[in-house]
Amino acid sequence: MRRRLTANLGLKVLAFFSAVLMWFVVVNIDDPVTDKTYTGIPVSVINEEVVTTTNRTYQIVDNTQEVMVTVSANRSVLNKIRSEDIVAVADMKELSLGTQIPIEVSIPGYKYEKAYSSPVNLQVKIEDEAKNNFPITPSTIGTVREGYVLGDLKPNPEKVTLRGPKSVIDSISRVVAEANVSGLSENADIEGRLILYDANNNVIDQTLLANNLGKDGVSVRVTLHQIRSVPVKPDTSMITAATGCKVSSVTVEPREVRVTGEEEDLDKLDEIEIPAEDLTISDLSERTEKIIDISAYLPDGVTLVEENARSVVLTIQIEQPGVKNYEVSTSSITVNNLAEDLELSYGAVDLEIQVRGPAEALKVFTVAKKVSIDLKNYETPGTYLVPVVVELPEGCTLVDSEEVEIILEKKTEDEQEE
């Protein structure tokens, strides 16, 4: 038996090594070593105290905080490695030339031949650390619920201490706490988002900065005011007409304005009264308009919602003997001979005409479908004053010739095709 086992021993050893060699060849053909590149690998910095203990700080520059990593390994291994398995570390103790830290790459739990990053160094800028206090300015985004308007805004805290690279601290121009008030309908403390701006209103990256806000962060106390519509009531008792004329009507436009304020202040305001002594106008013989700033008549604690809506127009209609006033909507004016390639709009909404004639005729006369303009001589785009033609009953005349401002514009090709 022993002789049979030891017979041709050399051939048997040679066969064994040949089998092993063939196994290695097959493995390398089916599962070769190759390279694979992974992108967006974050670089972690360790031993930062090498810099920070000397009252200095650092900034990562040249976008080297993320690198590409190339790994050489068997294909089967590469198929299992994910980007998050790769660890890239820059040790501050290895800082060289004051700006570069070598990046060491490892892939725990995997067998590989080599792994290296591109770039191979983390680029940093070392500078002195600085600290400063900044007031916080509150701001809002979004729109509060209908019927309310923003009142006071107050940040909490009102200032913040920021620490970081001196160049970044020195670039801060203002600090804002931004609160989202979308749909808000009551006073509230809203979490704010801290935003830093430089002198050119660019947002500053806060990654390298520390603050003293702690886990509570910053909030904004938002106070809402209600909105109410209040009528405007002028006292017209001291408006008088000239001899032989009479005041036929006094109107104010707009009749209501929107105001806002605390609820207790709004409850005291039923109307905005314009006193008679501010409307002393006498000897009127024709239609007169007076512009009035109503902001002076608002009580303390109440303001206008729209600041540019502070003016109202008081219109005083005067009737002369044998004369009657008629208001004509421009939309009811009959238009004749408008060029087919032009479209028409008006510079005003209403037109007023005065007709003189017998009382009996004026009593029954109506301007409906009696007012027209003729545009046969207006063939080019532009703004024009066009005579108004009024069909009057026998014995009646216009007190003054009337004109209306029109705007002619070229139709678009689509409108002309229609």
Side-chain angles (χ1 to χ4, degrees), residues 270-336:
D270 295 323
E271 61 185 26
I272 300 173
E273 182 179 352
I274 305 173
E277 55 266 27
D278 291 346
L279 296 176
T280 303
I281 312 171
S282 57
D283 295 327
L284 296 179
S285 59
E286 60 183 8
R287 181 180 185 270
T288 301
E289 290 185 350
K290 182 177 177 62
I291 298 177
I292 302 168
D293 184 349
I294 61 170
S295 60
Y297 307 110
L298 296 174
D300 292 339
V302 177
T303 59
L304 294 166
V305 174
E306 295 92 11
E307 182 62 24
N308 58 358
R310 61 195 304 167
S311 295
V312 297
V313 179
L314 193 74
T315 302
I316 307 166
Q317 300 284 5
I318 301 296
E319 283 190 10
Q320 299 177 10
V323 175
K324 189 171 181 180
N325 299 331
Y326 297 88
E327 283 193 3
V328 180
S329 170
T330 50
S331 62
S332 67
I333 296 175
T334 301
V335 180
N336 298 317

Side-chain angles (χ1 to χ4, degrees), residues 68-86:
M68 293 188 301
V69 172
T70 300
V71 182
S72 296
N74 291 106
R75 180 185 296 165
S76 61
V77 175
L78 291 177
N79 288 338
K80 297 177 181 178
I81 296 175
R82 300 171 300 171
S83 295
E84 49 265 38
D85 296 324
I86 301 174

